[in-house]
Amino acid sequence: MAYTPHPDVVSGEQYRYALTNFRIAHEKVEEQRQQLEQQEKQVAVLRARIALLEGTNQGHFGVSKLSGNSVDDFSIKNAASGLERQINRWAADLTRVPPVPLSTLRSAALADVFDDNPTEAGDQVPAATGMQVQSLLRHAVSKTIAEGIINCLIITDSPEANIQLTRIHEHIFSRDPTVAAVWRRQTFSAAVETCSVDMARFFLSEHMPGLTQLLRIEENKATPGGAIIPVLEAAYEFSRMLHSAPSSSGGTVDAFYRAFVPDVGSTMNPRQIELVKRCQKTERGEPDRVGATVFPGLVKVTRGTSGQAIDNMQTVVRRAQVICECALLGISQAPQVPQGPYANGGY
């Protein structure tokens, strides 16, 4: 007897039950899809609002744009390299044709480096060399740029107002970094466009009084003294780029940048400095000290979101460019070999 297959059939009640469950599931999926669409719309509105507050929806905002993109660490390193070359060019030109003897120029630079404290300057090297003077000049300018321009928000032509605005930003940042970021960028949107000659003179008289008086810095940028003014103008543009940069931390953490200059004579920290000349002591494993900082380092200061009790975190974005003490003074000490009757020191 042949087998005759019977089609699978279900009762009407089971069919209606399955159909009802399918319809309910479909309605729930549709409801979730609509909720996701509403959330995406709300997120888009919030992003547009944040962009409006930060000014990132304007292609011409300040100087915080490079080819239409927000400034990142790589762009900052490139801009810092350009500023470093300008400082080096000014110091090299001044050393090549000095308006005063190199020893006088070195003494004025040392006085500015050590804040006119002769006890810290120590013994003077008898003969001043071009490399010593050039390195000390770069250290003095780096210190001026770090303390006077980058670490202080330059918003107005008034130094007192800029100091107060810097303190306000620090207070806001300690409470809410995101609010501080919006406040900082909105404030810089109304900042002075360029570094005026009066502002440059204030920076120099405040941080380089000895060299300022010796070089008789004037408005004429073609003079050896006045050639420093374009360097400070470039440093101000670099500072504006740093402080008006949009946040790149996803809205959870915001950061701002600070500069640091290792002191002359301090211990070298490989995490914070980068040697621009070969250090023989370091290669032999011997400790050495900072001879001069030819360009300041940059750190990114971050803090947790509002409500998190954590300290500021600093990440080195660009290490300070340093020449060691032995290279600056031209000291080359060969390793000591034990003395004995044989050439190899043995017995």
Side-chain angles (χ1 to χ4, degrees), residues 130-155:
M131 186 185 71
Q132 292 175 8
V133 175
Q134 181 177 344
S135 300
L136 291 173
L137 288 174
R138 295 176 67 180
H139 184 103
V141 175
S142 298
K143 184 178 178 182
T144 301
I145 292 174
E147 297 180 359
I149 300 179
I150 296 179
N151 293 346
C152 184
L153 302 183
I154 308 301
I155 310 297

PDB file of all heavy atoms in Angstrom, residues 130-155:
ATOM      1  N   GLY A 130      79.261  81.434  20.345  1.00  0.00           N
ATOM      2  CA  GLY A 130      78.028  81.704  19.631  1.00  0.00           C
ATOM      3  C   GLY A 130      76.925  80.727  19.976  1.00  0.00           C
ATOM      4  O   GLY A 130      75.751  81.111  20.101  1.00  0.00           O
ATOM      5  N   MET A 131      77.258  79.455  20.159  1.00  0.00           N
ATOM      6  CA  MET A 131      76.238  78.466  20.488  1.00  0.00           C
ATOM      7  C   MET A 131      75.655  78.711  21.868  1.00  0.00           C
ATOM      8  O   MET A 131      74.449  78.552  22.086  1.00  0.00           O
ATOM      9  CB  MET A 131      76.827  77.061  20.419  1.00  0.00           C
ATOM     10  CG  MET A 131      75.784  75.969  20.597  1.00  0.00           C
ATOM     11  SD  MET A 131      76.490  74.317  20.647  1.00  0.00           S
ATOM     12  CE  MET A 131      77.306  74.358  22.238  1.00  0.00           C
ATOM     13  N   GLN A 132      76.502  79.111  22.826  1.00  0.00           N
ATOM     14  CA  GLN A 132      76.000  79.414  24.167  1.00  0.00           C
ATOM     15  C   GLN A 132      75.007  80.572  24.121  1.00  0.00           C
ATOM     16  O   GLN A 132      73.905  80.485  24.670  1.00  0.00           O
ATOM     17  CB  GLN A 132      77.162  79.753  25.091  1.00  0.00           C
ATOM     18  CG  GLN A 132      78.087  78.607  25.416  1.00  0.00           C
ATOM     19  CD  GLN A 132      79.267  79.063  26.237  1.00  0.00           C
ATOM     20  OE1 GLN A 132      79.320  80.214  26.679  1.00  0.00           O
ATOM     21  NE2 GLN A 132      80.234  78.173  26.436  1.00  0.00           N
ATOM     22  N   VAL A 133      75.407  81.638  23.469  1.00  0.00           N
ATOM     23  CA  VAL A 133      74.552  82.827  23.423  1.00  0.00           C
ATOM     24  C   VAL A 133      73.249  82.529  22.681  1.00  0.00           C
ATOM     25  O   VAL A 133      72.162  82.911  23.115  1.00  0.00           O
ATOM     26  CB  VAL A 133      75.304  83.997  22.768  1.00  0.00           C
ATOM     27  CG1 VAL A 133      74.395  85.206  22.605  1.00  0.00           C
ATOM     28  CG2 VAL A 133      76.535  84.366  23.601  1.00  0.00           C
ATOM     29  N   GLN A 134      73.361  81.831  21.556  1.00  0.00           N
ATOM     30  CA  GLN A 134      72.162  81.514  20.784  1.00  0.00           C
ATOM     31  C   GLN A 134      71.207  80.641  21.591  1.00  0.00           C
ATOM     32  O   GLN A 134      69.985  80.868  21.584  1.00  0.00           O
ATOM     33  CB  GLN A 134      72.557  80.804  19.493  1.00  0.00           C
ATOM     34  CG  GLN A 134      71.373  80.451  18.596  1.00  0.00           C
ATOM     35  CD  GLN A 134      71.815  79.813  17.292  1.00  0.00           C
ATOM     36  OE1 GLN A 134      72.981  79.892  16.926  1.00  0.00           O
ATOM     37  NE2 GLN A 134      70.897  79.181  16.597  1.00  0.00           N
ATOM     38  N   SER A 135      71.727  79.673  22.314  1.00  0.00           N
ATOM     39  CA  SER A 135      70.870  78.791  23.109  1.00  0.00           C
ATOM     40  C   SER A 135      70.218  79.552  24.266  1.00  0.00           C
ATOM     41  O   SER A 135      69.034  79.344  24.570  1.00  0.00           O
ATOM     42  CB  SER A 135      71.690  77.612  23.644  1.00  0.00           C
ATOM     43  OG  SER A 135      72.244  76.859  22.589  1.00  0.00           O
ATOM     44  N   LEU A 136      70.974  80.431  24.915  1.00  0.00           N
ATOM     45  CA  LEU A 136      70.404  81.205  26.019  1.00  0.00           C
ATOM     46  C   LEU A 136      69.358  82.197  25.522  1.00  0.00           C
ATOM     47  O   LEU A 136      68.354  82.451  26.200  1.00  0.00           O
ATOM     48  CB  LEU A 136      71.521  81.928  26.768  1.00  0.00           C
ATOM     49  CG  LEU A 136      72.475  81.026  27.568  1.00  0.00           C
ATOM     50  CD1 LEU A 136      73.633  81.837  28.130  1.00  0.00           C
ATOM     51  CD2 LEU A 136      71.728  80.312  28.692  1.00  0.00           C
ATOM     52  N   LEU A 137      69.574  82.770  24.349  1.00  0.00           N
ATOM     53  CA  LEU A 137      68.559  83.654  23.766  1.00  0.00           C
ATOM     54  C   LEU A 137      67.277  82.880  23.481  1.00  0.00           C
ATOM     55  O   LEU A 137      66.166  83.360  23.770  1.00  0.00           O
ATOM     56  CB  LEU A 137      69.097  84.279  22.484  1.00  0.00           C
ATOM     57  CG  LEU A 137      70.185  85.344  22.621  1.00  0.00           C
ATOM     58  CD1 LEU A 137      70.708  85.747  21.245  1.00  0.00           C
ATOM     59  CD2 LEU A 137      69.673  86.560  23.370  1.00  0.00           C
ATOM     60  N   ARG A 138      67.401  81.697  22.954  1.00  0.00           N
ATOM     61  CA  ARG A 138      66.218  80.878  22.672  1.00  0.00           C
ATOM     62  C   ARG A 138      65.518  80.478  23.968  1.00  0.00           C
ATOM     63  O   ARG A 138      64.284  80.392  24.023  1.00  0.00           O
ATOM     64  CB  ARG A 138      66.619  79.636  21.872  1.00  0.00           C
ATOM     65  CG  ARG A 138      67.151  79.954  20.491  1.00  0.00           C
ATOM     66  CD  ARG A 138      67.629  78.712  19.765  1.00  0.00           C
ATOM     67  NE  ARG A 138      66.518  77.809  19.441  1.00  0.00           N
ATOM     68  CZ  ARG A 138      66.667  76.657  18.805  1.00  0.00           C
ATOM     69  NH1 ARG A 138      67.875  76.257  18.431  1.00  0.00           N
ATOM     70  NH2 ARG A 138      65.618  75.894  18.546  1.00  0.00           N
ATOM     71  N   HIS A 139      66.297  80.230  25.025  1.00  0.00           N
ATOM     72  CA  HIS A 139      65.681  79.909  26.314  1.00  0.00           C
ATOM     73  C   HIS A 139      64.883  81.101  26.850  1.00  0.00           C
ATOM     74  O   HIS A 139      63.757  80.932  27.340  1.00  0.00           O
ATOM     75  CB  HIS A 139      66.762  79.503  27.328  1.00  0.00           C
ATOM     76  CG  HIS A 139      66.205  79.061  28.648  1.00  0.00           C
ATOM     77  ND1 HIS A 139      66.132  77.736  29.015  1.00  0.00           N
ATOM     78  CD2 HIS A 139      65.688  79.765  29.682  1.00  0.00           C
ATOM     79  CE1 HIS A 139      65.588  77.644  30.219  1.00  0.00           C
ATOM     80  NE2 HIS A 139      65.326  78.871  30.649  1.00  0.00           N
ATOM     81  N   ALA A 140      65.466  82.286  26.753  1.00  0.00           N
ATOM     82  CA  ALA A 140      64.772  83.472  27.259  1.00  0.00           C
ATOM     83  C   ALA A 140      63.471  83.730  26.498  1.00  0.00           C
ATOM     84  O   ALA A 140      62.427  84.039  27.089  1.00  0.00           O
ATOM     85  CB  ALA A 140      65.689  84.689  27.172  1.00  0.00           C
ATOM     86  N   VAL A 141      63.515  83.582  25.169  1.00  0.00           N
ATOM     87  CA  VAL A 141      62.305  83.789  24.373  1.00  0.00           C
ATOM     88  C   VAL A 141      61.291  82.688  24.652  1.00  0.00           C
ATOM     89  O   VAL A 141      60.080  82.953  24.740  1.00  0.00           O
ATOM     90  CB  VAL A 141      62.667  83.848  22.876  1.00  0.00           C
ATOM     91  CG1 VAL A 141      61.409  83.945  22.033  1.00  0.00           C
ATOM     92  CG2 VAL A 141      63.577  85.026  22.594  1.00  0.00           C
ATOM     93  N   SER A 142      61.737  81.450  24.798  1.00  0.00           N
ATOM     94  CA  SER A 142      60.823  80.348  25.102  1.00  0.00           C
ATOM     95  C   SER A 142      60.117  80.571  26.432  1.00  0.00           C
ATOM     96  O   SER A 142      58.910  80.317  26.565  1.00  0.00           O
ATOM     97  CB  SER A 142      61.594  79.023  25.139  1.00  0.00           C
ATOM     98  OG  SER A 142      62.168  78.734  23.881  1.00  0.00           O
ATOM     99  N   LYS A 143      60.851  81.058  27.409  1.00  0.00           N
ATOM    100  CA  LYS A 143      60.258  81.355  28.708  1.00  0.00           C
ATOM    101  C   LYS A 143      59.231  82.476  28.603  1.00  0.00           C
ATOM    102  O   LYS A 143      58.160  82.429  29.218  1.00  0.00           O
ATOM    103  CB  LYS A 143      61.370  81.732  29.697  1.00  0.00           C
ATOM    104  CG  LYS A 143      60.899  81.971  31.114  1.00  0.00           C
ATOM    105  CD  LYS A 143      62.094  82.290  32.007  1.00  0.00           C
ATOM    106  CE  LYS A 143      61.638  82.581  33.435  1.00  0.00           C
ATOM    107  NZ  LYS A 143      62.791  82.935  34.302  1.00  0.00           N
ATOM    108  N   THR A 144      59.533  83.483  27.792  1.00  0.00           N
ATOM    109  CA  THR A 144      58.595  84.591  27.589  1.00  0.00           C
ATOM    110  C   THR A 144      57.318  84.110  26.923  1.00  0.00           C
ATOM    111  O   THR A 144      56.205  84.477  27.332  1.00  0.00           O
ATOM    112  CB  THR A 144      59.261  85.686  26.739  1.00  0.00           C
ATOM    113  OG1 THR A 144      60.430  86.154  27.410  1.00  0.00           O
ATOM    114  CG2 THR A 144      58.309  86.849  26.508  1.00  0.00           C
ATOM    115  N   ILE A 145      57.462  83.284  25.898  1.00  0.00           N
ATOM    116  CA  ILE A 145      56.285  82.791  25.174  1.00  0.00           C
ATOM    117  C   ILE A 145      55.443  81.887  26.064  1.00  0.00           C
ATOM    118  O   ILE A 145      54.205  81.969  26.068  1.00  0.00           O
ATOM    119  CB  ILE A 145      56.733  82.051  23.904  1.00  0.00           C
ATOM    120  CG1 ILE A 145      57.333  83.047  22.909  1.00  0.00           C
ATOM    121  CG2 ILE A 145      55.574  81.296  23.266  1.00  0.00           C
ATOM    122  CD1 ILE A 145      57.940  82.394  21.680  1.00  0.00           C
ATOM    123  N   ALA A 146      56.098  81.021  26.838  1.00  0.00           N
ATOM    124  CA  ALA A 146      55.359  80.077  27.673  1.00  0.00           C
ATOM    125  C   ALA A 146      54.596  80.794  28.784  1.00  0.00           C
ATOM    126  O   ALA A 146      53.389  80.595  28.952  1.00  0.00           O
ATOM    127  CB  ALA A 146      56.317  79.049  28.267  1.00  0.00           C
ATOM    128  N   GLU A 147      55.295  81.627  29.539  1.00  0.00           N
ATOM    129  CA  GLU A 147      54.680  82.255  30.702  1.00  0.00           C
ATOM    130  C   GLU A 147      53.812  83.452  30.338  1.00  0.00           C
ATOM    131  O   GLU A 147      52.777  83.685  30.980  1.00  0.00           O
ATOM    132  CB  GLU A 147      55.766  82.685  31.688  1.00  0.00           C
ATOM    133  CG  GLU A 147      56.577  81.525  32.248  1.00  0.00           C
ATOM    134  CD  GLU A 147      57.644  81.978  33.222  1.00  0.00           C
ATOM    135  OE1 GLU A 147      57.752  83.212  33.446  1.00  0.00           O
ATOM    136  OE2 GLU A 147      58.375  81.125  33.760  1.00  0.00           O
ATOM    137  N   GLY A 148      54.221  84.201  29.320  1.00  0.00           N
ATOM    138  CA  GLY A 148      53.495  85.431  29.028  1.00  0.00           C
ATOM    139  C   GLY A 148      52.386  85.296  28.014  1.00  0.00           C
ATOM    140  O   GLY A 148      51.418  86.065  28.057  1.00  0.00           O
ATOM    141  N   ILE A 149      52.487  84.318  27.101  1.00  0.00           N
ATOM    142  CA  ILE A 149      51.527  84.245  25.995  1.00  0.00           C
ATOM    143  C   ILE A 149      50.675  82.992  26.050  1.00  0.00           C
ATOM    144  O   ILE A 149      49.441  83.058  25.995  1.00  0.00           O
ATOM    145  CB  ILE A 149      52.266  84.344  24.645  1.00  0.00           C
ATOM    146  CG1 ILE A 149      53.016  85.675  24.552  1.00  0.00           C
ATOM    147  CG2 ILE A 149      51.295  84.196  23.485  1.00  0.00           C
ATOM    148  CD1 ILE A 149      53.808  85.859  23.269  1.00  0.00           C
ATOM    149  N   ILE A 150      51.291  81.820  26.166  1.00  0.00           N
ATOM    150  CA  ILE A 150      50.517  80.582  26.100  1.00  0.00           C
ATOM    151  C   ILE A 150      49.786  80.308  27.406  1.00  0.00           C
ATOM    152  O   ILE A 150      48.601  79.949  27.399  1.00  0.00           O
ATOM    153  CB  ILE A 150      51.445  79.404  25.731  1.00  0.00           C
ATOM    154  CG1 ILE A 150      52.025  79.610  24.329  1.00  0.00           C
ATOM    155  CG2 ILE A 150      50.681  78.080  25.794  1.00  0.00           C
ATOM    156  CD1 ILE A 150      52.965  78.506  23.881  1.00  0.00           C
ATOM    157  N   ASN A 151      50.452  80.452  28.533  1.00  0.00           N
ATOM    158  CA  ASN A 151      49.834  80.119  29.823  1.00  0.00           C
ATOM    159  C   ASN A 151      48.956  81.226  30.372  1.00  0.00           C
ATOM    160  O   ASN A 151      48.413  81.092  31.468  1.00  0.00           O
ATOM    161  CB  ASN A 151      50.920  79.779  30.842  1.00  0.00           C
ATOM    162  CG  ASN A 151      51.656  78.497  30.492  1.00  0.00           C
ATOM    163  OD1 ASN A 151      51.198  77.729  29.650  1.00  0.00           O
ATOM    164  ND2 ASN A 151      52.783  78.262  31.130  1.00  0.00           N
ATOM    165  N   CYS A 152      48.814  82.299  29.651  1.00  0.00           N
ATOM    166  CA  CYS A 152      47.926  83.398  30.032  1.00  0.00           C
ATOM    167  C   CYS A 152      47.003  83.680  28.857  1.00  0.00           C
ATOM    168  O   CYS A 152      47.471  83.854  27.724  1.00  0.00           O
ATOM    169  CB  CYS A 152      48.727  84.646  30.400  1.00  0.00           C
ATOM    170  SG  CYS A 152      47.708  86.020  30.990  1.00  0.00           S
ATOM    171  N   LEU A 153      45.706  83.691  29.094  1.00  0.00           N
ATOM    172  CA  LEU A 153      44.745  83.936  28.017  1.00  0.00           C
ATOM    173  C   LEU A 153      44.827  85.401  27.598  1.00  0.00           C
ATOM    174  O   LEU A 153      44.431  86.294  28.348  1.00  0.00           O
ATOM    175  CB  LEU A 153      43.320  83.587  28.470  1.00  0.00           C
ATOM    176  CG  LEU A 153      43.098  82.149  28.937  1.00  0.00           C
ATOM    177  CD1 LEU A 153      41.630  81.928  29.292  1.00  0.00           C
ATOM    178  CD2 LEU A 153      43.542  81.154  27.875  1.00  0.00           C
ATOM    179  N   ILE A 154      45.355  85.647  26.403  1.00  0.00           N
ATOM    180  CA  ILE A 154      45.500  87.013  25.904  1.00  0.00           C
ATOM    181  C   ILE A 154      44.235  87.353  25.121  1.00  0.00           C
ATOM    182  O   ILE A 154      44.075  86.968  23.967  1.00  0.00           O
ATOM    183  CB  ILE A 154      46.755  87.158  25.023  1.00  0.00           C
ATOM    184  CG1 ILE A 154      47.984  86.619  25.777  1.00  0.00           C
ATOM    185  CG2 ILE A 154      46.957  88.611  24.620  1.00  0.00           C
ATOM    186  CD1 ILE A 154      48.267  87.322  27.080  1.00  0.00           C
ATOM    187  N   ILE A 155      43.338  88.060  25.782  1.00  0.00           N
ATOM    188  CA  ILE A 155      42.049  88.413  25.176  1.00  0.00           C
ATOM    189  C   ILE A 155      42.000  89.886  24.796  1.00  0.00           C
ATOM    190  O   ILE A 155      41.482  90.267  23.745  1.00  0.00           O
ATOM    191  CB  ILE A 155      40.884  88.088  26.133  1.00  0.00           C
ATOM    192  CG1 ILE A 155      41.003  86.649  26.656  1.00  0.00           C
ATOM    193  CG2 ILE A 155      39.551  88.307  25.445  1.00  0.00           C
ATOM    194  CD1 ILE A 155      40.894  85.589  25.590  1.00  0.00           C
TER     195      ILE A 155
END
